[in-house]
Amino acid sequence: FARADVIGFDTYPVEVRCSLDQIDNVFWMQRELIALTGGKPTFQWIEAGPMEHCRHNQDPTPEVVRAETWLAIAGGARSIGYFPDWWEEAIRNEVRLTNREILALAPALLGPVTKAHWSAQNPVRIGARRSNGATYVVAVNTSTSQATVGFTLPGLGGRLLRVFRDGRVVKPFGDLVTDKLPGLGVAVYVVPPAGW
């Protein structure tokens, strides 16, 4: 790690670990890598097509690629790569859309990490950043079933959150935010600076 400028890895739950139930590793291993690298920027490779390691398993779907990408970002990845280098049309369209969202949110996603409290017992993983006084919370459901998002943001004080991409508005209870995400669903909640 000392010799590298940027450090990356891959953990392919569907194509190498042969189980979508292992998708949570994308988040937790990213966090582990960050803890080991002394603050250097990290990236993660995302499985985006068949690799023929797990023939009995379904290949990555657009929903899997999207969820893994945002799990890596929620876990602290500063960049994303996709492997292998060819994709079916549905995957290609999802990669294009997700990359546009990442680009649009890049200043926030590269901002400093901020506190968001959540339970690891819940299948939804959370990562939060600050940029220009706003807070951005990435939430990813690691389950294939609908799940409740639940997290607290110290100092939120009931300010409304807007969901990037779909524009929904979520009203918190003081500092507590709850919402629903579909299986493998992703939401990026945006909290404006205080007073907006």
Side-chain angles (χ1 to χ4, degrees):
F1 293 152
R3 293 182 180 170
D5 294 322
V6 180
I7 300 143
F9 78 106
D10 63 64
T11 176
Y12 301 142
V14 173
E15 289 297 316
V16 175
R17 295 178 182 272
C18 304
S19 172
L20 185 56
D21 293 341
Q22 300 275 329
I23 196 169
D24 213 15
N25 284 330
V26 173
F27 177 83
W28 292 113
M29 292 173 80
Q30 179 64 50
R31 290 188 43 158
E32 183 179 352
L33 179 66
I34 288 169
L36 294 171
T37 57
K40 288 189 174 184
T42 61
F43 71 95
Q44 192 171 149
W45 291 101
I46 303 300
E47 58 188 340
M51 293 179 227
E52 300 179 359
H53 292 282
C54 307
R55 294 174 191 253
H56 69 280
N57 206 32
Q58 180 183 14
D59 291 325
T61 63
E63 294 78 18
V64 167
V65 172
R66 179 174 177 74
E68 286 187 27
T69 301
W70 286 103
L71 279 168
I73 291 169
R78 298 300 187 167
S79 184
I80 297 294
Y82 301 96
F83 186 83
D85 62 353
W86 58 270
W87 311 314
E88 295 178 359
E89 184 176 358
I91 299 285
R92 186 171 53 249
N93 290 339
E94 184 58 51
V95 166
R96 184 180 297 121
L97 175 62
T98 299
N99 284 348
R100 285 180 183 153
E101 293 172 354
I102 293 168
L103 184 60
L105 292 167
L109 299 176
L110 295 172
V113 172
T114 191
K115 293 281 186 194
H117 304 285
W118 52 279
S119 171
Q121 303 305 313
N122 187 309
V124 178
R125 301 293 165 246
I126 302 290
R129 310 280 190 287
R130 301 253 318 147
S131 179
N132 294 324
T135 303
Y136 297 77
V137 179
V138 178
V140 184
N141 183 1
T142 62
S143 167
T144 56
S145 300
Q146 180 175 307
T148 299
V149 178
F151 61 90
T152 58
L153 285 174
L156 180 60
R159 282 182 286 150
L160 299 177
L161 297 86
R162 185 169 302 277
V163 181
F164 183 81
R165 189 182 197 184
D166 69 16
R168 287 186 304 114
V169 174
V170 176
K171 183 173 176 28
F173 304 95
D175 292 349
L176 173 65
V177 178
T178 60
D179 195 17
K180 299 277 187 200
L181 283 181
L184 300 178
V186 175
V188 179
Y189 300 94
V190 182
V191 183
W196 278 46

